């Protein structure tokens, strides 16, 4: 069923309670009289309260009304903020470079106003050393304490240890700061040539700040970390001894 109000000839009642263009109460008038007034003012007769007895109708420019309503709804959606939970997975014996990379993702998520679920994955004999994961989570919480706080303390969940970090900034504040920074960069580059490299770089930065493309999927993050973990596996393999020379 259509949710749009009935207008003009689609109104099928003998009389209506009429409201003028400026909101003044005209009173209960026959439908023919209301349509005549609408034509006289070059406006539409719009049914604004169909369940009233008699229905309430108003004289207005319906096209302008729809446009303004759409703009208000768009602005409301623009200012809406949905806090989501990002997840970051680490290993107890993570390489320092990998740790810095993943900490960078956590920092970015917190700056965007999102919560971050940190998961330490234990494998094999690592399960007997839960203190390694606890110390790693505490280290990460201390490193990002300026941006977030420990919302859920570390706790063991099967083979994993989980901690949740919450951002100090609200999502709406983070979005407002990103828009302000993008506007500032836009104003800064107005004096530059549109096709210049500097202007192109600023465009890319501004677009990154106001879109959700900054979020890296867990699969991509794991793919980035895979090559770095390979040397550790090689280090555990036995070292092959060189063959003895014939002269010996």
């Amino acid at each position: 069923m259509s949710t749009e109000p009935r207008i003009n000839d689609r109104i099928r009642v003998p009389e209506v309670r009429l409201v003028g263009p400026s909101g003044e109460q005209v009173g209960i008038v026959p439908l023919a009289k209301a349509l005549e007034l609408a034509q006289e003012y070059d406006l539409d007769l719009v049914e604004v309260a169909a369940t009233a007895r008699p229905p309430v109708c108003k004289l207005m420019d319906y096209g302008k009304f729809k446009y303004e309503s759409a703009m208000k709804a768009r602005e409301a959606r623009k200012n809406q903020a949905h806090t989501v939970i990002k997840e970051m997975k680490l290993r107890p014996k993570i390489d320092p470079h990998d740790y810095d990379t993943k900490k960078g993702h956590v920092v970015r998520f917190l700056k965007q106003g999102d919560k971050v679920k940190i998961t330490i994955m234990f494998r094999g004999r690592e399960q007997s050393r839960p203190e390694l994961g606890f110390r790693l989570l505490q280290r990460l919480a201390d490193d990002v304490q300026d941006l977030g706080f420990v919302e859920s303390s570390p706790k063991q969940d099967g083979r994993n240890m989980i901690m949740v970090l919450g951002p100090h900034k609200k999502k709406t504040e983070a979005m407002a700061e990103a828009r302000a920074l993008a506007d500032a960069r836009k104003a800064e580059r107005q004096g530059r040539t549109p096709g210049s490299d500097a202007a192109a770089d600023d465009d890319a930065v501004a677009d990154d700040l106001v879109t959700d493309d900054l979020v890296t999927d867990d699969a991509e993050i794991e793919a980035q970390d895979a090559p770095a973990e390979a040397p550790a596996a090689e280090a555990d393999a036995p070292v092959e001894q060189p063959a003895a020379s014939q002269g010996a």
Side-chain angles (χ1 to χ4, degrees):
M1 296 180 61
S2 175
T3 58
E4 292 190 1
R6 294 184 295 181
I7 64 173
N8 300 329
D9 296 336
R10 294 193 300 178
I11 302 174
R12 303 293 186 181
V13 292
E15 58 184 14
V16 298
R17 185 179 297 277
L18 186 62
V19 180
S22 301
E24 68 277 11
Q25 296 289 334
V26 178
I28 299 175
V29 300
L31 178 61
K33 179 63 175 177
L35 290 172
E36 182 181 338
L37 289 174
Q39 188 174 5
E40 180 181 337
Y41 284 106
D42 193 22
L43 296 173
D44 299 304
L45 181 66
V46 183
E47 189 178 54
V48 294
T51 57
R53 291 292 178 268
V56 180
C57 296
K58 184 177 181 181
L59 297 174
M60 67 173 73
D61 185 341
Y62 186 59
K64 181 180 178 181
F65 170 75
K66 286 185 65 177
Y67 175 78
E68 291 177 349
S69 298
M71 290 297 101
K72 289 179 181 178
R74 180 181 178 184
E75 189 67 22
R77 288 194 301 269
K78 183 178 179 182
N79 293 328
Q80 278 183 341
H82 300 284
T83 301
V84 296
I85 299 181
K86 309 293 184 182
E87 183 173 12
M88 187 61 54
K89 297 180 179 180
L90 294 81
R91 295 291 306 281
K93 298 179 180 179
I94 188 171
D95 182 83
H97 174 73
D98 296 337
Y99 174 80
D100 292 337
T101 300
K102 298 211 171 190
K103 183 182 73 173
H105 291 308
V106 174
V107 168
R108 179 154 47 83
F109 293 149
L110 293 174
K111 285 183 177 179
Q112 292 174 346
D114 295 320
K115 297 181 181 181
V116 187
K117 176 183 176 182
I118 312 298
T119 302
I120 304 294
M121 301 180 298
F122 296 95
R123 295 178 183 174
R125 289 177 294 178
E126 293 175 346
Q127 298 180 59
S128 62
R129 301 289 303 279
E131 66 276 6
L132 296 178
F134 183 81
R135 285 200 296 265
L136 182 59
L137 291 176
Q138 289 293 333
R139 174 188 172 189
L140 181 59
D142 292 339
D143 288 344
V144 298
Q145 61 181 347
D146 293 339
L147 300 172
F149 61 96
V150 178
E151 185 174 284
S152 177
S153 300
K155 60 181 180 180
Q156 193 78 23
D157 183 15
R159 294 187 176 184
N160 301 328
M161 183 174 287
I162 298 172
M163 178 181 71
V164 178
L165 297 175
H168 290 313
K169 291 182 182 178
K170 294 183 178 180
K171 186 74 171 180
T172 51
E173 295 177 0
M175 292 172 60
E177 289 184 4
R179 291 196 192 98
L181 182 57
D183 292 341
R185 291 185 178 276
K186 182 178 179 181
E188 181 183 349
R189 68 173 182 271
Q190 281 182 349
R192 301 180 181 179
T193 305
S196 65
D197 294 339
D201 292 342
D202 284 347
D203 285 336
V205 173
D207 290 341
D208 285 344
L209 288 171
V210 295
T211 60
D212 291 333
D213 292 336
L214 287 171
V215 178
T216 305
D217 293 334
D218 291 336
E220 296 178 357
I221 296 174
E222 293 298 331
Q224 295 172 1
D225 295 335
E229 294 181 357
E234 294 176 0
D236 295 337
V239 179
E240 184 177 354
Q241 299 294 332
S245 62
Q246 296 179 358

